[in-house]
Amino acid sequence: NGTLDESDIVTRNLNVQNLLNFNRFTVGSDIGMSVMLGNGISDEKQDVSGQTSSDFLDPTFLSMNNTRNRNAVNYITQRRRVGLFGQVQADYKDYLFLTVMGRNDWTSTIPEERNSFFYPGVQGSFVFTDVLPSLGQHMTGRLRAAWTQSGKDARAYAYAPTLESKPTTNKGYGYGFTGPNPNLKPEFATSGEIGTELGFFDDRLGIDATLYRKETRDQIVD
């Protein structure tokens, strides 16, 4: 005899990022460097209030008060993540380049003893045709390599048990069908690659080849 759903969803997302950049400066006559430091804060909150009703008493009057069965729902979801990160870039005579980076995050969705996790990265490139002028007259060439890690936290309340309304408990409460994981830890993805970029005939013909591998450890499945 009809159903009616009404809900009020209030979502708040706060994101703050601060960056401190040191523009490229020289060390000696051949080495150039630049530095970037920063931090980021992400704070999310969602407040959901709603009601579901069914079996209208009067099929022409659309109102919650005009139904026999009513069920209310209200839940609040909160999640916070704080990160510190940095990056150093260096170049030597404009043909050898190196970048070192790292980030540490603290999250509210991982148990406290494991909620801080660090993931680094390094990448470099070498323009070998700038070192070999006889070869550089006919082509341009660059070799590159990289190794990076990335960390990921979980959805909110993935490790702590929560109660929810259960019709099997005579309108009481019980734990959800999908249980939490008290031993939850951050997920890490490690990737590495090597490659080359070659150009011929004033870069009218180019070759870009890459060999890479990626491995994920402690994968979190929501």
Side-chain angles (χ1 to χ4, degrees):
N1 294 321
T3 61
L4 177 64
D5 293 330
E6 289 185 354
S7 61
D8 185 18
I9 303 174
V10 179
T11 301
R12 184 202 67 192
N13 292 322
L14 298 177
N15 293 284
V16 178
Q17 182 167 272
N18 299 298
L19 295 176
L20 177 62
N21 287 296
F22 297 89
N23 294 330
R24 185 180 182 276
F25 56 92
T26 58
V27 180
S29 58
D30 298 327
I31 300 176
M33 297 186 68
S34 61
V35 180
M36 184 269 291
L37 301 173
N39 83 299
I41 300 174
S42 175
D43 190 280
E44 305 169 6
K45 182 178 180 180
Q46 188 176 73
D47 190 341
V48 178
S49 299
Q51 185 169 273
T52 301
S53 62
S54 62
D55 196 1
F56 282 92
L57 301 174
D58 180 356
T60 64
F61 180 43
L62 191 64
S63 171
M64 288 288 183
N65 297 326
N66 184 40
T67 57
R68 297 183 189 274
N69 305 312
R70 304 170 199 164
N71 294 300
V73 61
N74 175 247
Y75 63 87
I76 298 175
T77 303
Q78 292 179 284
R79 179 174 180 263
R80 177 175 292 179
R81 182 168 175 170
V82 179
L84 294 175
F85 51 89
Q87 176 178 286
V88 178
Q89 292 180 310
D91 60 85
Y92 178 73
K93 291 187 176 180
D94 286 333
Y95 65 76
L96 188 62
F97 303 88
L98 179 67
T99 301
V100 179
M101 64 200 80
R103 178 178 177 120
N104 198 96
D105 283 334
W106 293 264
T107 178
S108 64
T109 66
I110 301 291
E112 187 172 354
E113 60 272 17
R114 294 181 294 274
N115 71 348
S116 174
F117 52 100
F118 175 77
Y119 42 101
V122 60
Q123 59 187 26
S125 63
F126 174 46
V127 185
F128 60 87
T129 50
D130 285 354
V131 184
L132 303 170
S134 59
L135 185 62
Q137 294 177 357
H138 307 286
M139 60 176 293
T140 59
R142 175 192 300 265
L143 298 175
R144 64 177 186 271
W147 179 90
T148 59
Q149 275 192 335
S150 60
K152 175 187 172 183
D153 58 353
R155 60 175 175 82
Y157 315 124
Y159 74 89
T162 57
L163 293 172
E164 58 185 42
S165 178
K166 293 285 188 179
T168 56
T169 58
N170 195 22
K171 297 186 178 181
Y173 292 88
Y175 292 123
F177 177 78
T178 304
N181 182 4
N183 298 316
L184 193 66
K185 59 180 67 174
E187 172 186 314
F188 286 98
T190 303
S191 59
E193 73 170 49
I194 55 174
T196 184
E197 300 172 25
L198 305 175
F200 304 91
F201 309 113
D202 293 329
D203 290 332
R204 292 184 176 89
L205 175 65
I207 298 175
D208 190 335
T210 303
L211 177 66
Y212 68 92
R213 176 182 174 87
K214 181 177 181 180
E215 180 180 354
T216 302
R217 177 167 48 91
D218 298 321
Q219 189 172 22
I220 297 173
V221 180
D222 292 334

